[in-house]
């Protein structure tokens, strides 16, 4: 049996399982690994135990790419059978809040979720309550905002040095840092 934190990913598209070649080639090194599956696979203390997607073709490609044997098209079955401690959620936004709640109800205590978390204020308030216990750990796909260069750009915008701004675009290499 492999060791490591039992982990799974729901959503085997661009952010869940596949980082485009363009992003790999042009993104700053600090952005990689970008996909949930790739990040879990590369961390020495996590084990990618299962993948889930409603599209069997995407699921098959992701399973082959990441060497994962256990695959599911039903998130509830994955949660029940695999019982991951860590779950990556990279699905479409509609239904994501319910999926997060189901994962927490199933015992998942660490989540990394793509942005946006949900579709409305009522869902956000429900998630706020669900995330409140001290044994629940949640991150979401907005890591760029934590880069020192991004914070510097925000400080410069907030300084008023350039007056009232309507739009800002800042390049970081061949990718966008800020828009």
């Amino acid at each position: 049996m492999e060791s490591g934190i039992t982990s799974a990913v729901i959503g085997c598209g661009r952010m869940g399982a596949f980082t485009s070649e363009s992003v790999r080639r042009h993104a700053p090194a600090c952005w990689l690994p970008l996909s949930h599956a790739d990040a879990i696979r590369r961390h020495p203390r996590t084990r990618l135990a299962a993948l889930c997607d409603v599209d069997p073709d995407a699921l098959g490609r992701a399973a082959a790419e990441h060497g994962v044997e256990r695959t599911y098209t039903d998130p509830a079955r994955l949660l029940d059978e695999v019982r991951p401690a860590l779950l990556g959620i990279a699905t479409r936004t509609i239904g994501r809040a319910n999926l997060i709640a189901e994962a927490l109800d199933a015992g998942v205590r660490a989540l990394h979720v793509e942005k946006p978390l949900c579709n409305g204020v009522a869902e956000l308030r429900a998630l706020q309550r669900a995330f409140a216990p001290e044994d629940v750990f949640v991150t979401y796909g907005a890591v760029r905002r934590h880069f020192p260069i991004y914070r510097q750009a925000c400080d410069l915008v907030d300084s008023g040095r350039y007056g009232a701004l309507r739009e800002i675009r800042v390049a970081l290499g061949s990718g966008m840092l800020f828009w």
Side-chain angles (χ1 to χ4, degrees), residues 7-10 40 78-79 84-89 99 103 108 110-113:
S7 308
V9 174
I10 300 175
I40 290 169
L78 178 146
L79 294 169
L86 169 65
L87 182 64
I89 299 178
L99 184 55
V108 175
L111 295 157
H112 180 70
V113 184

Side-chain angles (χ1 to χ4, degrees), residues 6-8 47 49-50 70 72 77-85:
T6 301
S7 308
R47 177 177 59 88
R70 293 180 82 175
Y72 297 84
R77 275 196 59 218
L78 178 146
L79 294 169
D80 183 53
E81 294 178 16
V82 177
R83 312 217 47 84

